[in-house]
Amino acid sequence: MAPLTLAVDANSSSALSSELSNKKMQNLQLEPKKFFASVKAREENPFDFLRLLFEGVIAGGTAGVVVETALYPIDTIKTRLQAARGGGQIILKGLYSGLAGNLAGVLPASAVFVGVYEPAKQKLLRTFPENLSAVAHLTAGAIGGMAASFIRVPTEVVKQRMQTGQFNSAPNAVRMIIAKEGFKGLYAGYGSFLLRDLPFDAIQFCIYEQLRLGYKLAAKRDLKDAENAVIGAFAGALTGAITTPLDVIKTRLMVQGSANQYKGIFDCVQTIVRDEGPSALLKGIGPRVMWIGIGGSIFFGVLEGTKRFLEQKRPENQTRSKLE
């Protein structure tokens, strides 16, 4: 018996190749387009909640203190512009008034925010599809902002009361606020704070993370601190401009004290527009955009640098570097 042979006709081979090519084209057309930068978190190191929490707390606290110290005078001017009614004169003395007391709140607030944000972000990136990484960043930013708000709000109330000259020291401010308004006085404007800061945190960190991911994909390398700083400045300035009206409302509610000129968020908006015009809702937008833009540059530059430093100090990375 003759040996079996397998013959392939040239025409059938060409037809088979054409069919496979058509199937590939169909698959490409069916594949959903990704409108946001994607990240493959599942391929990274295993999820380590405690490690991410610890490194986030250290990096966030460091970045928060550096930014607050450097830019406090601009924040003071912004607060006085927003608190002024009509053509009130802005006093430029005591621009560092309340800094020490504010740092006592900024340090734990920034530490809590990033300490919650980092593990929440990594967990959500592992849960959501790759093309929904923006939703993961938005959600993680809002979660971090909510956790930090319990520290941020009393700190902000005391800081702004001192910036507007109502008190000359943080301990005195806390004591007098509680005496006149009760403990709830330390949380004056809490609703307006959340109305401003939750969207702000979510939008700012989403813009930053998405731009950073897109840049990394285009450059095909890790970014330098200067590049992270530029992206952070753009994200901060843009978000600061968008949320300025919310910031004006929050400031008015926080500095009104026991006078209770405004009954709530909507009454505050109506009163400002009626008495001062709609443009009053944009008071302080210049200093705010400059402050948050520069602040975003410093914050994200310091944040990424500190995170990278802590990552290099991990035991497994130090062992790997020794072996190399």
Side-chain angles (χ1 to χ4, degrees):
M1 181 180 290
L4 293 173
T5 59
L6 180 62
V8 180
D9 183 69
N11 292 332
S12 62
S13 176
S14 177
L16 179 61
S17 176
S18 176
E19 183 180 352
L20 290 174
S21 178
N22 290 335
K23 286 184 177 181
K24 286 182 180 179
M25 291 298 296
Q26 289 176 359
N27 290 336
L28 288 174
Q29 291 174 354
L30 291 173
E31 185 178 350
K33 294 182 179 179
K34 298 178 180 180
F35 294 98
F36 300 103
S38 62
V39 57
K40 296 183 179 179
R42 296 174 184 84
E43 295 179 3
E44 297 175 356
N45 294 329
F47 182 75
D48 187 344
F49 174 77
L50 292 179
R51 171 65 64 180
L52 289 170
L53 175 64
F54 171 75
E55 292 182 356
V57 165
I58 299 299
T62 302
V65 168
V66 171
V67 171
E68 195 67 20
T69 303
L71 303 180
Y72 195 79
I74 301 176
D75 183 36
T76 299
I77 294 172
K78 183 269 302 181
T79 297
R80 291 176 180 176
L81 281 170
Q82 292 179 342
R85 293 169 177 79
Q89 186 177 1
I90 306 301
I91 301 173
L92 296 180
K93 293 182 179 179
L95 295 181
Y96 271 98
S97 177
L99 175 62
N102 193 50
L103 289 181
V106 167
L107 175 59
S110 299
V112 167
F113 177 87
V114 181
V116 172
Y117 172 79
E118 284 296 332
K121 177 185 73 174
Q122 295 298 332
K123 188 66 176 178
L124 289 169
L125 286 174
R126 286 167 165 77
T127 303
F128 290 177
E130 289 178 29
N131 62 330
L132 292 181
S133 62
V135 179
H137 294 138
L138 277 170
T139 307
I143 293 173
M146 177 62 76
S149 68
F150 297 105
I151 302 173
R152 279 179 173 176
V153 174
T155 301
E156 191 84 354
V157 169
V158 171
K159 178 191 75 173
Q160 294 196 333
R161 300 283 181 93
M162 293 183 65
Q163 287 176 332
T164 53
Q166 297 183 34
F167 304 102
N168 56 13
S169 70
N172 184 46
V174 173
R175 184 172 61 254
M176 294 301 295
I177 289 172
I178 293 177
K180 292 183 177 181
E181 306 168 46
F183 185 76
K184 67 178 182 179
L186 292 173
Y187 284 88
Y190 184 74
S192 62
F193 181 90
L194 292 182
L195 181 66
R196 181 203 70 172
D197 269 46
L198 291 190
F200 179 89
D201 291 332
I203 295 170
Q204 182 187 30
F205 273 77
C206 179
I207 292 174
Y208 170 75
E209 296 280 14
Q210 289 294 301
L211 288 176
R212 189 165 176 269
L213 282 173
Y215 197 152
K216 285 180 69 176
L217 290 173
K220 298 180 180 179
R221 60 174 174 80
D222 289 333
L223 304 188
K224 299 176 182 178
D225 288 344
E227 292 170 322
N228 290 321
V230 171
I231 294 173
F234 178 79
L238 179 60
T239 311
I242 293 172
T243 58
T244 295
L246 301 177
D247 189 48
V248 172
I249 297 166
K250 181 223 53 155
T251 297
R252 292 293 182 90
L253 290 173
M254 282 186 168
V255 303
Q256 68 176 334
S258 57
N260 290 326
Q261 179 183 0
Y262 308 111
K263 298 177 182 178
I265 295 173
F266 294 107
D267 180 61
C268 181
V269 174
Q270 291 175 348
T271 303
I272 291 173
V273 172
R274 183 183 66 244
D275 296 346
E276 305 171 54
S279 62
L281 292 173
L282 294 177
K283 277 190 172 183
I285 188 171
R288 176 172 169 80
V289 168
M290 181 173 66
W291 166 55
I292 297 180
I294 299 173
S297 174
I298 299 173
F299 181 87
F300 286 110
V302 173
L303 180 69
E304 298 298 340
T306 307
K307 283 166 59 178
R308 186 175 61 256
F309 172 78
L310 293 172
E311 184 178 354
Q312 292 171 349
K313 293 298 181 181
R314 291 178 182 177
E316 61 271 21
N317 291 337
Q318 288 187 325
T319 304
R320 188 182 302 112
S321 62
K322 288 180 181 178
L323 291 175
E324 294 174 351

